[in-house]
Amino acid sequence: MRTTVALLFGGRSGEHGISCVTAGGILAAIDRTRFDVIAIGITREGRWIHVSDDPSDWTLVDGRAPEVDPSGNEVLLPSTRHRPGERITLRIVRDSMVHDLADIDVVWPLLHGAYGEDGTVQGMLEMLDLPYVGSGVLASAAAMDKAATKLVLRAVGLECAPGIVVHEDGWASDAHRVATYLRTTHPLPWFVKPARAGSSLGVTKVTDPAELETALKSAFAEDPKVLIEEGLDGREVECGVLQGRDGGEPSTTLPGEVKVGDDLEFYDYEAKYFGKGTVSIDVPAGLPDDMLEEAREIASRAFTALGLEGLARVDMFVTRDRRVLINEVNTMPGFTPYSMFPVLWEHMGLSYADLIAELIEQARRRRLGPR
């Protein structure tokens, strides 16, 4: 019997469209001789809709990302948990009647950002004893919150980019004191970014303190909790990590390096997904072998410290004085054929289709309930 996988994508975050593009990549590559696929789109309002599993429906068109159409048939989840190892039946509402949709074995939440990558959907799936790809509730929430990530990583001796946390209410009531403290403790430039958003949404590089107010306004539009970090004179590298089998150590890729041209201030949202500016990616990164191995070791330690499962991409800076600092940890990285995570594993000899299969099988093998 083939494994039936429910792909869950779209969602309520600002990364809705990118999540749909990620789903398109997986729909195009997944081995249909091994897996049956049910595509479920979550609208921006949070409705679960049975949608097309044709990958051509989930691609960028003229620089615009696809959207989940809210007019489709709504998917109904079971109201009670099921027995471990038992398939679970999804149903849909069509013509005011409830119909069986499919019996599924595993769910893959291809959701980027809030209400999907942050432990919320994972908690719901845990309550139903549904196997799913990726990290659990606590690990997802801790990795999604960049400030919480730093607390965990620093506790195990891993170095992170220095900075401060600013809450929207605190800034409104005490902006002068916060700005003064920042100027006296952290040299420019600063990177202002939402604590719980991805894809560089709401991120601004600040080179003049007068720009701080506008930068914070942009970040607060995504999240009321914001990080202001020092800009580092270093190279940006990214490392893919997969959970080890049978309790073994995580597997890592050789790091890749993102290089941005002089026409970009940094690797922002438009550069990542819509071709803005000059960007190149080197795999592996052009670093000495010992630095490549150190980056891999740090990525593995970060994965373990955060209690991650399934997969992650660990983004790091390598400074001129040969320090490796963690920037952030992404528990559901972009997954198109051209995204850094699959490209890194392709370089290690694991094809896109085999990477997809490995993550699904990992999810099926994982014990349900507390781990």
Side-chain angles (χ1 to χ4, degrees), residues 95-164:
D95 300 327
S96 301
M97 300 285 290
V98 176
H99 302 268
D100 287 353
L101 173 61
D103 293 330
I104 64 168
D105 299 288
V106 64
V107 177
W108 191 341
L110 297 168
L111 297 159
H112 305 310
Y115 308 109
E117 195 178 351
D118 57 357
T120 49
V121 164
Q122 289 78 8
M124 183 197 69
L125 297 173
E126 292 275 1
M127 291 176 66
L128 294 172
D129 277 337
L130 265 174
Y132 59 90
V133 173
S135 292
V137 177
L138 177 60
S140 295
M144 185 71 197
D145 186 324
K146 298 175 182 66
T149 300
K150 290 172 183 277
L151 290 174
V152 174
L153 298 181
R154 285 172 176 152
V156 297
L158 294 174
E159 196 173 0
C160 304
I164 66 171

Side-chain angles (χ1 to χ4, degrees), residues 168-315:
E168 188 170 16
D169 292 342
W171 175 255
S173 62
D174 206 5
H176 177 72
R177 186 186 65 82
V178 173
T180 300
Y181 174 79
L182 187 63
R183 284 196 303 270
T184 56
T185 57
H186 296 284
L188 289 162
W190 304 321
F191 281 89
V192 179
K193 58 187 182 183
R196 295 164 294 196
S199 297
S200 297
L201 285 173
V203 178
T204 305
K205 182 180 180 180
V206 172
T207 57
D208 183 331
E211 302 165 349
L212 181 60
E213 178 80 40
T214 300
L216 281 168
K217 184 177 180 180
S218 177
F220 286 143
E222 301 293 335
D223 189 350
K225 183 179 181 180
V226 166
L227 287 178
I228 305 176
E229 296 179 338
E230 292 179 19
L232 295 172
D233 184 11
R235 298 163 67 172
E236 186 175 350
V237 302
E238 302 180 357
C239 189
V241 187
L242 286 176
Q243 181 180 353
R245 291 193 176 193
D246 302 320
E249 291 293 313
S251 301
T252 60
T253 68
L254 284 165
E257 181 176 6
V258 179
K259 294 181 177 179
V260 299
D262 294 337
D263 53 348
L264 291 172
E265 286 196 300
F266 65 98
Y267 193 34
D268 62 13
Y269 180 77
E270 287 78 15
K272 286 179 177 178
Y273 300 112
F274 299 103
K276 171 187 169 185
T278 305
V279 177
S280 63
I281 295 176
D282 292 346
V283 181
L287 294 168
D289 288 347
D290 63 326
M291 296 303 299
L292 293 175
E293 291 306 312
E294 182 176 352
R296 295 178 74 175
E297 173 65 20
I298 286 173
S300 177
R301 289 176 60 195
F303 190 94
T304 301
L306 287 162
L308 303 186
E309 296 171 280
L311 72 161
R313 194 193 69 232
V314 181
D315 301 347

